[in-house]
Amino acid sequence: MANGSILLFDFWDNVYHDCFTTTKSSNREDDAMYVGDILRANNAHVVTIGSNETVSIAANLMYASNVGALVVRNASRSKDAAVIGMFSERDAVAVIAERGTNGLAMKVAQFISPRPLLSCNSQDALTDVERLMARHGIRHVPVIDNGRLVGVVSMRDITLAFEEAACAA
């Protein structure tokens, strides 16, 4: 297998190293990569919000924490509170687009999905979680092991894991 690398420059002259493979890459199903691999590599940092908190607080928390989604807990951010959903940047934008700035004072609980929470566990294969996300049009999934929130995995995390594995091969 012939591998190579390329340096990419963006508009601001930041340099990014990227790898490429000149032969067919391996089948993802055979790579046996798991959600737990991402959590260990990323030192999982989970940011939560209580369902009774406002959209404004959620937006500020995402900005300050540099995350694209928050895990919503029932009523408070307490570790004992049940995980009931996710609130993402997309959700914040939709609230403002639909309700204007008045939407910022509304509770997060009003905007999380009423369908059952989609989650995964650390033993799930990345390919399975990737399919789950694609099928439901979501980009963040909480990771719950034995009823305990242990992390969040994003579509970006999964893509980067597969890219790193391809570069290492």
Side-chain angles (χ1 to χ4, degrees), residues 28-87:
R28 284 186 174 184
E29 297 292 337
D30 298 334
D31 290 340
M33 296 174 63
Y34 299 94
V35 171
D37 299 332
I38 288 177
L39 297 182
R40 281 186 293 281
N42 293 348
N43 293 324
H45 174 68
V46 183
V47 185
T48 64
I49 190 162
S51 61
N52 290 332
E53 296 186 69
T54 66
V55 171
S56 178
I57 291 170
N60 282 299
L61 189 55
M62 282 187 280
Y63 178 74
S65 304
N66 194 31
V67 296
L70 304 170
V71 176
V72 181
R73 290 188 178 271
N74 192 23
S76 74
R77 292 185 209 178
S78 165
K79 289 186 179 195
D80 297 329
V83 173
I84 60 170
M86 297 291 293
F87 187 83

Side-chain angles (χ1 to χ4, degrees), residues 3 6 25 32-33 43 47 67 93 95-96 105 130 138 156 158-159 164:
N3 290 331
I6 187 169
S25 63
M33 296 174 63
N43 293 324
V47 185
V67 296
V93 169
V95 169
I96 294 167
E130 182 182 43
I138 57 177
R156 178 181 294 151
I158 293 171
T159 300
E164 288 174 5

Side-chain angles (χ1 to χ4, degrees), residues 6-19:
I6 187 169
L7 293 179
L8 304 173
F9 295 86
D10 66 12
F11 182 75
W12 300 275
D13 291 329
N14 293 315
V15 178
Y16 300 92
H17 182 265
D18 199 2
C19 79

